Amino acid sequence: SHARIGPLALAELETGEFLVSGGSNRGQIFRFPASGGNAGQLVAALDEPVFNMALDREGWLWATTGGGALLQLDPASGQIAGRFGTGITMGLAVDSDTGRIFVGTQNGVEIFEPATGSLTRFSRDLNLRISSLALDHRGRLWAVTWPDRRQLVRFTDHGRAELILEFDSDIDSL
């Protein structure tokens, strides 16, 4: 991009291809073959940035927008099928067992239910801001804090964040 920021999000398709967000406004989504290569096929040119992407069990592509809505996209065409909520920031994790989608918001972590289109608060820590979310093989939710990106937290079943690791400012100490 003109801001010299590289790709922000990627999602692997069932075909082994990858969708990658980037571009001058971070809102372009490109398709790459499994073997990699140059930014080739432009799938979508959105008006908002894409910070994280994930596919759900139904094959929909979900994207966070850095403060706007949670986007539901057709992964083949890039067409927006739905916009949900506001203040959706960066983190995104799809629970493949339940279909629920965990998203980082300006109010912490919330759960999106695709069947109802509703968002409900998950994290009990109101000021917790996160950049990345992931579910482990046991279904536990993990996050990296933002903007410091120095803490790794794991959530209890009741949404309480437990500090697991704090990185010191010297990257060599990892």
Side-chain angles (χ1 to χ4, degrees):
S1 75
H2 297 296
R4 300 203 182 273
I5 297 172
L8 289 177
L10 79 130
E12 184 177 10
L13 301 172
E14 287 184 10
T15 62
E17 297 172 298
F18 286 90
L19 297 177
V20 180
S21 74
S24 60
N25 76 339
R26 302 176 193 122
Q28 293 177 312
I29 300 174
F30 297 91
R31 182 182 314 273
F32 285 83
S35 60
N38 296 323
Q41 179 187 0
L42 179 65
V43 175
L46 306 174
D47 291 336
E48 48 230 308
V50 172
F51 283 88
N52 271 305
M53 297 186 295
L55 290 161
D56 69 12
R57 62 186 181 183
E58 306 297 324
W60 289 106
L61 179 67
W62 296 89
T64 58
T65 57
L70 173 64
L71 301 179
Q72 180 184 25
L73 302 162
D74 178 317
S77 68
Q79 188 80 17
I80 296 174
R83 294 176 188 269
F84 303 93
T86 60
I88 309 298
T89 56
M90 292 187 272
L92 175 67
V94 176
D95 185 330
S96 59
D97 292 334
T98 66
R100 298 184 313 170
I101 300 172
F102 293 85
V103 292
T105 74
Q106 61 193 14
N107 299 315
V109 178
E110 296 186 26
I111 299 172
F112 176 72
E113 297 283 354
T116 62
S118 64
L119 283 158
T120 56
R121 179 175 309 283
F122 174 70
S123 66
R124 297 169 86 197
D125 305 288
L126 300 180
N127 295 320
L128 181 65
R129 294 169 52 187
I130 54 97
S131 62
S132 293
L133 288 169
L135 289 159
D136 67 18
H137 69 282
R138 294 184 180 143
R140 294 179 301 190
L141 186 66
W142 295 72
V144 175
T145 59
W146 186 85
D148 63 354
R149 299 177 193 220
R150 292 185 57 207
Q151 295 178 331
L152 175 66
V153 298
R154 182 177 61 213
F155 290 93
T156 67
D157 292 341
H158 302 291
R160 171 85 52 210
E162 301 174 323
L163 178 64
I164 300 300
L165 181 63
E166 186 160 10
F167 302 103
D168 105 9
S169 61
D170 181 3
I171 194 71
D172 293 333
S173 68
L174 297 178

